[in-house]
Amino acid sequence: EPEVTQTPSHQVTQMGQEVILRCVPISNHLYFYWYRQILGQKVEFLVSFYNNEISEKSEIFDDQFSVERPDGSNFTLKIRSTKLEDSAMYFCASSDPAGGDYGYTFGSGTRLTVV
Amino acid sequence: AQSVSQHNHHVILSEAASLELGCNYSYGGTVNLFWYVQYPGQHLQLLLKYFSGDPLVKGIKGFEAEFIKSKFSFNLRKPSVQWSDTAEYFCAVRNRDDKIIFGKGTRLHILP
């Protein structure tokens, strides 16, 4: 079964540092998403991406965040200057061209710890 | 703004007990509905989904959910839970804009 792959699985970074979270969506999917889950809280939408541009973003997704699809396979989330409150599990997801019949497929997540 | 409400934040059951987790959503248009499960230390996995047709949806691991349009509800059920069902369960709705909105989750703990 196709999978969404995220790397690294766990990243520890110092406050103020930049981090890049990487995702490889399912190959024929065209819609890509980032969500995050702060420990003990609900899964929150960050951003959706289609046709090489952001299609929607939440209020959480401020200027500190950016997304990019640098080549045909990777989809990255960059956090420019990390804050303690950015510590969370970050999930990438992708969906098929028509929004399909499968919901989203989520990756296994990257646990980001900002110290 | 659309939202998803899960009524139970933490549920504790004994093995073989029946389970029902409530979910209500607020959105008047056509929606797709999902239940995701997150086992301890793992990622989100799709349990079941409703797009159209039979409002009683069967998913993996013996779970089912019923879409009741008049009540804006999509409750998750399982007749007999197992210890391995210990996990967090998220109800989610996707609207025409294709964005999935999650509920706050219900933490289910099954006593052996």
Side-chain angles (χ1 to χ4, degrees):
Chain A
E1 188 173 327
E3 290 184 345
V4 174
T5 306
Q6 288 187 245
T7 55
S9 57
H10 191 184
Q11 179 148 5
V12 181
T13 188
Q14 287 199 322
M15 192 169 54
Q17 294 297 304
E18 174 182 288
V19 294
I20 297 176
L21 310 182
R22 301 180 194 281
C23 170
V24 179
I26 293 174
S27 60
N28 66 336
H29 286 186
L30 298 179
Y31 292 82
F32 314 114
Y33 311 86
W34 283 100
Y35 284 75
R36 79 171 184 190
Q37 184 183 26
I38 295 172
L39 187 64
Q41 299 186 26
K42 69 175 182 179
V43 180
E44 301 172 293
F45 169 78
L46 289 179
V47 66
S48 58
F49 190 87
Y50 170 71
N51 201 25
N52 284 321
E53 60 183 23
I54 291 173
S55 48
E56 188 173 357
K57 59 183 181 179
S58 70
E59 59 270 18
I60 303 168
F61 194 90
D62 59 21
D63 293 343
Q64 177 197 14
F65 293 90
S66 63
V67 289
E68 197 176 36
R69 189 156 162 80
D71 52 41
S73 60
N74 289 285
F75 178 51
T76 61
L77 174 69
K78 182 190 290 185
I79 309 175
R80 255 178 279 282
S81 176
T82 50
K83 299 178 276 195
L84 293 176
E85 53 266 37
D86 294 327
S87 294
M89 194 78 162
Y90 288 81
F91 292 103
C92 174
S94 66
S95 67
D96 74 10
D101 194 31
Y102 307 102
Y104 294 4
T105 301
F106 283 89
S108 55
T110 294
R111 184 174 299 281
L112 177 65
T113 304
V114 182
V115 297
Chain B
Q2 63 188 57
S3 64
V4 179
S5 298
Q6 292 183 241
H7 315 303
N8 316 100
H9 298 298
H10 196 182
V11 173
I12 301 174
L13 294 172
S14 297
E15 274 194 308
S18 65
L19 170 72
E20 180 159 4
L21 301 183
C23 173
N24 286 89
Y25 64 93
S26 66
Y27 182 69
T30 302
V31 293
N32 305 142
L33 296 158
F34 308 88
W35 276 96
Y36 283 87
V37 61
Q38 187 178 26
Y39 297 103
Q42 296 188 30
H43 62 284
L44 292 163
Q45 299 175 44
L46 181 66
L47 261 184
L48 48 77
K49 61 189 183 290
Y50 172 79
F51 275 59
S52 64
D54 189 344
L56 184 61
V57 179
K58 294 194 184 298
I60 61 172
K61 307 187 181 189
F63 286 92
E64 64 179 32
E66 185 175 12
F67 170 53
I68 303 179
K69 188 174 181 179
S70 60
K71 295 185 178 179
F72 296 89
S73 70
F74 190 57
N75 292 353
L76 181 70
R77 299 194 292 249
K78 185 170 183 178
S80 177
V81 293
Q82 301 171 300
W83 178 79
S84 57
D85 293 325
T86 294
E88 188 150 17
Y89 293 80
F90 294 92
C91 181
V93 60
R94 186 174 75 189
N95 66 3
R96 59 192 299 172
D97 294 333
D98 201 44
K99 182 176 70 182
I100 283 186
I101 303 293
F102 286 87
K104 290 188 176 181
T106 297
R107 197 176 297 274
L108 176 65
H109 188 78
I110 305 300
L111 302 173

